Amino acid sequence: MFPYDSMRDYVAELEKRNRFIRIKEIDQDIYESTALIYKMLERLGDKAPGFMAEKTKINGKWFDTPVVGNIYNGYDTVALCFGVKDVTDVSIDMYHAAVERIKGFLQPDGRWKEIAPLVVKRESAPCKEVVLMGKEADVLKFPWIKNSPLDAAQYISAGSFVMNDPEIGKNLGTYRIHIKGPQKIGAYFTNQSHGYAMMMKAADRGEETVPVAIAVGIDPISWMMSSTRLADMGVDEFAVAGGFRGKPVELVKCETNDLLVPAQAEFIIEGEIPMEVEQEGPYGEMFGYLGRETQTFYVNVKAITHRRNPWVSIFIAGPVPVILPCPGMWGISCA
C-alpha cells in the first residue's frame, strides 16, 4: 500500500494487480530483454506488464541476480506511485488523477510540500546487508544490461546520483552510466543539469574530485524525483519525496564519504568523480535515437553496498512511451 518504502513493495503491488510477470531466464547476449519490451509495448501498449528475469546471460556468463524492468509503464502505475485511491486501467482518467494528486502537494508559496528525511543506523538499512570495498567493489559482478548492439557497452540505466555541494545544496539526479571497467563507470551530466553545475562549482573552487553515490532500485517517489526536475536546484529531493509520500524517506550514511543514501535501495555505488573527461557513449536514448559519443566525466568506484539478494533495476530506452516520471507527463525536463 502507498507509500511504497522500497521498489520491492511497489513490485509486490504490481504482482497483486497482475501487472508483473516472472521469467525464468533471458539471454541478453542476443538482446532478449530488449526484444521482450519492444514486443510487449507493440502488442499491449501501456498495459504491458513489468517483468523479472530470474537469470540473465551477459557476455557469455549466466547471472543469478534478478533483473527487473518495465515497472513504470502506464498512467495507472504512475497513479499507484503517487497514492491515487481508486486506480483503474483507463489511461486518461489515471493521467488526470495523477496530475491532480501531484498538484495537491504544491504549497501556497509555490513550493512543494517537504518532509525531512530520516537518518537510520546502518544495522537497519537493507542496502548495507553486503558491503564490498576496494577491489571487491566490482560492478561487473552484476548483470547490468547492454540494451542494443549500437550502445558502447553495458549501462547502469536506472541509477540515481546523490551529490551535495556546499554552495548549491543537494541533488538527486538520473544520468546515464557507461560501464567502463570493474571500478570505473561514466557520469554523463548534460550541461544544463544540476550535476554539471555542481561539477563546475567544484572546479571553480579548485577541487580535484567530487564525492558521489549512485542508488539503484529505490522507492518509486524518490525515483521520480531523481528523474524529473520538480525540485529547483539545491532543493533536497528526498525532502520533497517525503512530502509526496506523507512520511520521511529513510537515509543512511555512505561507507566512504558523508553522503546520505536511500536505506531501502537495492544497490549503492560509492565513488569519486575526477576533474577530467573522456569518451562516453553512444547510447540509445529515450526518444528512440542514438545519443552520440561525447566527452564527459567518470566515477572511480570505491565501494558497493547492496541487499543480500539484490535486484538489478533497468530501463530500456527507446520504445517506451514518454508517460513515465520523465519529461512528457508534466512538461518538466530531466534533472
Side-chain angles (χ1 to χ4, degrees):
M1 295 293 291
F2 176 86
Y4 307 103
D5 288 328
S6 68
M7 182 180 73
R8 295 189 184 209
D9 292 342
Y10 168 66
V11 166
E13 183 66 24
L14 292 182
E15 284 197 287
K16 282 169 56 178
R17 294 172 176 269
N18 296 316
R19 289 296 308 275
F20 189 82
I21 59 175
R22 293 176 182 259
I23 300 164
K24 185 176 180 180
E25 60 185 41
I26 275 183
D27 184 349
Q28 190 57 18
D29 284 348
I30 57 173
Y31 303 100
E32 285 186 340
S33 63
T34 309
L36 172 67
I37 289 183
Y38 270 78
K39 281 298 183 182
M40 286 198 305
L41 291 168
E42 178 185 309
R43 296 178 183 181
L44 301 173
D46 63 4
K47 304 301 184 293
F51 73 91
M52 171 186 285
E54 295 175 355
K55 293 180 65 176
T56 306
K57 185 180 179 185
I58 296 174
N59 297 330
K61 177 182 177 181
W62 284 100
F63 292 82
D64 291 326
T65 302
V67 173
V68 175
N70 205 47
I71 58 175
Y72 299 110
N73 179 46
Y75 286 121
D76 59 333
T77 68
V78 176
L80 271 178
C81 293
F82 285 108
V84 172
K85 289 185 178 180
D86 299 315
V87 175
T88 73
D89 61 358
V90 181
S91 295
I92 189 63
D93 290 349
M94 291 302 95
Y95 169 84
H96 289 297
V99 169
E100 289 304 309
R101 176 78 173 162
I102 292 162
K103 286 163 59 178
F105 296 113
L106 273 174
Q107 305 300 291
D109 62 359
R111 296 173 61 87
W112 296 107
K113 180 182 178 181
E114 295 185 14
I115 295 178
L118 175 66
V119 180
V120 301
K121 294 180 179 179
R122 68 190 312 279
E123 292 79 14
S124 60
C127 73
K128 299 286 191 179
E129 289 174 347
V130 177
V131 176
L132 305 173
M133 304 291 291
K135 295 296 184 183
E136 286 296 306
D138 180 351
V139 295
L140 298 177
K141 290 180 177 180
F142 307 101
W144 314 108
I145 300 297
K146 183 179 181 182
N147 288 352
S148 68
L150 291 179
D151 290 349
Q154 296 160 254
Y155 270 74
I156 301 173
S157 55
S160 300
F161 281 67
V162 178
M163 303 172 72
N164 193 359
D165 183 85
E167 296 179 70
I168 293 175
K170 297 179 179 180
N171 180 44
L172 178 68
T174 301
Y175 312 104
R176 74 191 200 194
I177 306 169
H178 178 167
I179 294 179
K180 295 170 175 282
Q183 277 87 38
K184 188 177 185 181
I185 57 179
Y188 179 36
F189 305 122
T190 57
N191 60 13
Q192 77 273 20
S193 70
H194 297 170
Y196 183 81
M198 289 185 169
M199 293 301 299
M200 295 301 98
K201 281 289 187 182
D204 290 344
R205 293 191 296 266
E207 296 174 13
E208 294 183 357
T209 60
V210 172
V212 67
I214 300 163
V216 180
I218 59 179
D219 74 89
I221 296 292
S222 295
W223 165 247
M224 292 185 184
M225 294 302 160
S226 168
S227 55
T228 66
R229 196 174 284 175
L230 275 178
D232 292 333
M233 187 178 294
V235 173
D236 185 352
E237 278 97 346
F238 287 124
V240 179
F244 277 50
R245 286 159 42 90
K247 62 184 291 191
V249 177
E250 292 184 351
L251 303 180
V252 66
K253 183 178 175 297
C254 282
E255 299 294 307
T256 61
N257 57 49
D258 292 329
L259 294 170
L260 297 174
V261 293
Q264 298 286 336
E266 297 293 319
F267 289 89
I268 302 294
I269 301 170
E270 303 178 20
E272 295 177 340
I273 308 176
M275 286 297 170
E276 60 184 33
V277 297
E278 62 179 30
Q279 180 270 334
E280 190 276 344
Y283 180 67
E285 287 288 7
M286 63 181 295
F287 294 107
Y289 295 94
L290 188 69
R292 64 186 179 183
E293 180 180 316
T294 187
Q295 296 286 311
T296 190
F297 297 103
Y298 62 88
V299 179
N300 288 320
V301 175
K302 303 297 183 183
I304 298 174
T305 72
H306 63 78
R307 286 177 177 256
R308 191 164 289 111
N309 296 296
W311 295 359
V312 165
S313 176
I314 66 167
F315 177 75
I316 294 184
V320 181
V322 186
I323 59 174
L324 310 180
C326 246
M329 185 169 180
W330 312 304
I332 302 167
S333 59
C334 283

